[in-house]
Amino acid sequence: MAAEEDAVAQECAPQRKKASSQDDKRRKKMVPGCLMKALVRPGGGEATPSEGDQVIYHCTVRTLDGVVVESTRSEFGGNAIPIRHVLGKSKMILGLLEGIPTMLKGEVAMFKMKPQVHYGEEDCPVPVSSIFPKDDELHFEIEMIDFSKAKVVSDDFGVVKKVLDEGEGWETPREPYEVKARISARTAEGKLIVSHSGGEIYCFTIGKSEVPKGLEMGIGTMTRREKAVIYVTKQYLSDSPFISLEDRFDEIHFEVELVHFIQVRDMLGDGRLIKRRIRDGKGEFPMDCPLHDSQLQVHYKGMLLNEQNKVFYDTRIDNDGQPLKFSSGEGLVPEGFEMCVRLMLPGEVALVTCPPDYAYDKFPRPANVPEGAHIQWEIELLGFEMPQDWTGLDFPSIMNEAGNIRNTGNRLFKEGKYELAKAKYEKVLREFNHLNPQDDEEGKEFSETRNLLNLNMAACYLKMGETRKSIESCNKVLDANPANVKALYRRGMAYMSAGDFEEARTDFKAMIKLDKSSEPDAKAALLKLKQKEQEVESKARKQFRGLFDKKPGEISDVGTDEREEEPAAEDHKTRGQEQSDKDEAEEPEDPSNARQQATGLFSLFWPAGRRIFTALGLERCSIL
């Protein structure tokens, strides 16, 4: 009974009306007798054009006395090129908008139109010359040549694609993919200008202007093995090695069979790190690619990118035929190598061209690879194992996994790979969002571990120059434990690097109040803070020296002579090095301390506001 009532209520509920289009509003202005149709020649089949179809037709316009006003036919002075419109998208006169969907393929019909349904319509979207008799009743003779579903590639309908045979998969070529296709070309009148009757395959690279612009745009919407006709108008017919356009064409119809394309990826966007797929893998991209923390197995051959392309390592020869096994996200292979492998599918073979800074200049370099060498790897991804799912694990097992990942992050931090280290800590913190300790003992261990992870995150952010994020990570620890001295120390360092000297001073003084054993570290930090403030004040005075010493109307030069800056800069460098050595001696419990990094000026110091410029340099951090 309840189900019946719901059904009745649903039927009685007001239905949401589809929003009226501009064409629907125009149709409402039509009155009986303003548009009449007479069949001249019947068409074939039963299908008629519908919205979204591309219609191709010849049109001849006559007065009621039979005088030809305009025509697409050559015998009436036209260019013999039929009109192409996409129903529901192209701008059309109202009479054709209403009349063409009634026609069959091959049909010829005469439409008698009053002015309000052709060019005499108020606010007609189709322009016409001033001499056109738009206020007269006219006859439109239409021959429906063809219609089919079409994809509008360019907004101005200069490039439209008609699919002949559907392709395979979903991937389409884009810059800088390498494409193999069979292509023929005809003028809009049907004259053949390029043929592939012999089965010739044309190879080109997307983005290198090796085919006309409109053709490239259309092929960019095709999938493998797809066959299509791409209609390109003159504004998209650029010169190219494929076809010479010495004879100007108003329109060319390209019949294309996309035989194959090779995925080519510019990994950095500057053309230095290129991944070129040689053999397709299995699965769907990118869903079936390796994730972070996956266990991967690859065979690879490394070559020096020089005239000889000398092979310096081949796992099938130099590793007793055994593949290389490594965990992604742990910095165990060169950065360029891992970036490309993580975009591969199992079974895929790729050729990777890599610059020195993403190859072995920042990674332990094989003895037979010279410094600064450009590398080419041929990589085959044999397979990979997904990272372990923590679902169903008991608390001790989860904490053990968390400890292993954190230790990996600590190693990466010591190696200066701060992004990778941060990713490890982030992974554990994400998993902790779904973990619920069952008793006080578990809760205490959970809270302590989460605090350590956030402190390590703060250290990574500080090394990366992201001081605000470092402060946010410290705040998470202090929200849970306001007396955490290490969080205060690290936040104070972040404040100091950001130029927020008063906040930094407050944190360092709070350390002494909460824990007397931290007093040496806090005092060293306060001394460092004082030096930073003095450096900023000195730089500010030099920068604005004489700015306010001139009389009204006079122009003052801001800044100092470059020669005067150099000794000061050298002196600051020396003092910074001395203080760095002192800090190293005062923090023996932090073996992962790395070299200082410099940042720019973050804020403005003023004698009253105390903020003209920020401190130069990031303070050292340690991983717990």
Side-chain angles (χ1 to χ4, degrees):
M1 185 65 180
E4 291 178 2
E5 291 176 356
D6 290 342
V8 172
Q10 187 172 2
E11 289 178 5
C12 296
Q15 299 296 316
R16 182 177 296 175
K17 293 183 179 180
K18 183 180 178 181
S20 296
S21 67
Q22 192 64 35
D23 289 342
D24 291 335
K25 294 176 182 178
R26 294 172 65 202
R27 289 188 178 100
K28 292 178 180 179
K29 296 187 294 184
M30 295 185 67
V31 296
C34 65
L35 176 65
M36 301 183 71
K37 175 184 176 183
L39 185 62
V40 178
R41 185 184 74 194
E46 298 180 354
T48 57
S50 59
E51 187 168 342
D53 284 356
Q54 176 179 253
V55 292
I56 303 176
Y57 60 92
H58 272 299
C59 176
T60 301
V61 183
R62 297 182 176 90
T63 66
L64 297 188
D65 297 332
V67 177
V68 174
V69 178
E70 66 176 14
S71 178
T72 58
R73 296 185 180 278
S74 58
E75 59 264 34
F76 296 122
N79 58 11
I81 299 176
I83 297 171
R84 290 188 300 106
H85 279 146
V86 178
L87 293 181
K89 296 182 180 179
S90 298
K91 294 178 180 179
M92 300 174 66
I93 61 172
L94 184 54
L96 294 183
L97 185 67
E98 191 71 8
I100 280 182
T102 69
M103 300 184 69
L104 300 173
K105 188 177 294 187
E107 178 182 324
V108 178
M110 185 73 76
F111 293 94
K112 184 179 180 181
M113 302 185 194
K114 291 189 179 297
Q116 63 265 34
V117 295
H118 60 70
Y119 300 101
E121 176 192 3
E122 185 180 359
D123 298 325
C124 178
V126 184
V128 69
S129 68
S130 58
I131 63 173
F132 190 92
K134 63 180 181 180
D135 296 325
D136 296 344
E137 194 170 343
L138 299 172
H139 284 158
F140 285 72
E141 182 185 292
I142 305 296
E143 179 187 2
M144 180 59 66
I145 298 173
D146 190 20
F147 60 86
S148 61
K149 293 296 179 187
K151 178 177 178 60
V152 177
V153 180
S154 65
D155 292 338
D156 59 359
F157 305 99
V159 184
V160 177
K161 183 184 77 170
K162 170 187 172 182
V163 177
L164 302 177
D165 293 328
E166 296 289 345
E168 304 170 355
W170 62 271
E171 190 176 16
T172 57
R174 58 183 180 274
E175 186 176 350
Y177 282 27
E178 297 171 3
V179 174
K180 296 180 179 179
R182 295 187 178 94
I183 308 172
S184 63
R186 295 179 183 272
T187 65
E189 301 93 328
K191 178 184 176 182
L192 184 66
I193 50 179
V194 175
S195 172
H196 64 69
S197 57
E200 299 89 352
I201 293 178
Y202 187 72
C203 303
F204 66 97
T205 301
I206 296 284
K208 291 191 174 181
S209 302
E210 295 174 356
V211 297
K213 179 182 177 182
L215 175 59
E216 184 177 280
M217 291 169 63
I219 291 176
T221 68
M222 299 177 68
T223 57
R224 284 185 179 86
R225 303 295 177 185
E226 180 180 332
K227 294 182 180 180
V229 177
I230 300 172
Y231 302 86
V232 182
T233 54
K234 58 184 177 182
Q235 64 266 37
Y236 292 97
L237 290 173
S238 56
D239 271 319
S240 67
F242 174 72
I243 184 171
S244 174
L245 297 176
E246 294 179 359
D247 298 328
R248 302 311 300 176
F249 301 101
D250 288 330
E251 183 171 302
I252 294 181
H253 301 170
F254 296 95
E255 186 172 332
V256 181
E257 178 188 355
L258 184 53
V259 178
H260 185 63
F261 57 81
I262 296 173
Q263 184 193 76
V264 180
R265 292 189 177 276
D266 186 347
M267 302 296 295
L268 303 175
D270 57 8
R272 297 191 306 132
L273 178 58
I274 301 294
K275 172 185 174 287
R276 185 175 181 271
R277 181 190 290 171
I278 298 176
R279 187 180 74 197
D280 292 343
K282 298 178 181 178
E284 292 293 328
F285 179 89
M287 291 75 74
D288 295 321
C289 293
L291 299 175
H292 220 58
D293 303 312
S294 298
Q295 299 290 323
L296 297 97
Q297 295 187 51
V298 301
H299 269 305
Y300 79 93
K301 179 166 62 175
M303 295 162 279
L304 298 177
L305 200 59
N306 52 26
E307 294 180 0
Q308 294 79 27
N309 279 355
K310 179 183 177 182
V311 176
F312 62 84
Y313 192 84
D314 189 339
T315 53
R316 289 182 170 87
I317 298 173
D318 302 304
N319 201 36
D320 298 326
Q322 296 300 310
L324 171 68
K325 299 179 181 180
F326 67 97
S327 295
S328 61
E330 295 189 2
L332 300 175
V333 295
E335 186 176 359
F337 189 102
E338 180 165 328
M339 286 174 65
C340 294
V341 171
R342 289 188 59 193
L343 290 180
M344 294 176 67
L345 294 168
E348 179 181 333
V349 177
L351 195 65
V352 175
T353 303
C354 186
D357 52 329
Y358 281 81
Y360 294 108
D361 278 9
K362 296 181 180 179
F363 193 83
R365 191 168 58 251
N368 49 356
V369 174
E371 184 177 357
H374 287 73
I375 302 299
Q376 189 172 80
W377 292 296
E378 183 180 300
I379 306 170
E380 179 183 2
L381 177 59
L382 303 176
F384 64 91
E385 296 179 6
M386 301 290 283
Q388 184 175 2
D389 185 1
W390 289 10
T391 304
L393 295 180
D394 57 17
F395 186 81
S397 299
I398 290 175
M399 297 308 292
N400 184 60
E401 286 292 321
N404 291 337
I405 296 174
R406 185 165 63 87
N407 289 337
T408 301
N410 294 352
R411 174 181 62 79
L412 292 168
F413 185 92
K414 294 175 182 178
E415 294 173 359
K417 300 171 182 176
Y418 307 120
E419 282 280 4
L420 292 177
K422 180 175 72 71
K424 295 298 180 183
Y425 305 138
E426 282 179 325
K427 172 183 170 59
V428 181
L429 287 169
R430 282 196 304 270
E431 295 290 347
F432 274 13
N433 290 331
H434 310 291
L435 183 60
N436 295 309
Q438 300 300 310
D439 54 43
D440 291 343
E441 184 177 345
E442 289 184 357
K444 181 180 179 182
E445 182 180 359
F446 171 78
S447 179
E448 290 176 352
T449 303
R450 185 173 56 187
N451 286 344
L452 290 176
L453 290 165
N454 277 314
L455 285 172
N456 290 353
M457 286 280 288
C460 290
Y461 281 130
L462 195 53
K463 284 293 187 182
M464 294 160 58
E466 299 183 40
T467 55
R468 293 303 167 190
K469 290 185 178 180
S470 180
I471 291 168
E472 290 173 7
S473 294
C474 292
N475 287 340
K476 292 177 182 179
V477 178
L478 293 168
D479 287 343
N481 180 13
N484 191 302
V485 174
K486 288 189 176 181
L488 286 169
Y489 178 78
R490 196 149 295 164
R491 188 175 71 175
M493 290 297 186
Y495 276 136
M496 183 165 61
S497 292
D500 297 329
F501 297 141
E502 292 301 327
E503 289 85 346
R505 183 176 287 103
T506 300
D507 281 348
F508 295 145
K509 288 182 177 180
M511 290 173 57
I512 300 173
K513 292 180 181 179
L514 290 170
D515 185 356
K516 287 295 182 182
S517 64
S518 68
E519 187 171 348
D521 291 336
K523 287 186 175 181
L526 287 168
L527 179 59
K528 188 80 168 182
L529 177 63
K530 185 176 180 180
Q531 292 175 344
K532 291 284 186 182
E533 288 180 303
Q534 291 173 346
E535 291 174 10
V536 169
E537 289 181 24
S538 175
K539 184 174 282 291
R541 283 194 298 270
K542 291 177 181 179
Q543 184 71 23
F544 290 94
R545 185 174 61 192
L547 183 61
F548 302 107
D549 296 340
K550 302 293 182 181
K551 296 179 181 179
E554 294 183 350
I555 299 176
S556 299
D557 292 331
V558 179
T560 60
D561 186 73
E562 186 177 349
R563 289 170 298 178
E564 294 177 359
E565 291 288 345
E566 292 177 357
E570 187 66 32
D571 183 55
H572 293 167
K573 181 177 178 181
T574 304
R575 288 189 297 177
Q577 182 63 46
E578 291 172 355
Q579 185 61 37
S580 176
D581 295 340
K582 181 178 180 181
D583 288 348
E584 189 70 33
E586 291 177 349
E587 298 181 22
E589 73 280 8
D590 292 330
S592 60
N593 283 345
R595 64 186 179 277
Q596 290 179 306
Q597 296 184 355
T599 60
L601 302 177
F602 288 91
S603 60
L604 203 64
F605 169 85
W606 201 255
R610 304 297 294 170
R611 287 183 190 169
I612 290 185
F613 298 94
T614 185
L616 297 174
L618 292 175
E619 197 51 55
R620 294 178 299 108
C621 310
S622 57
I623 284 295
L624 304 171

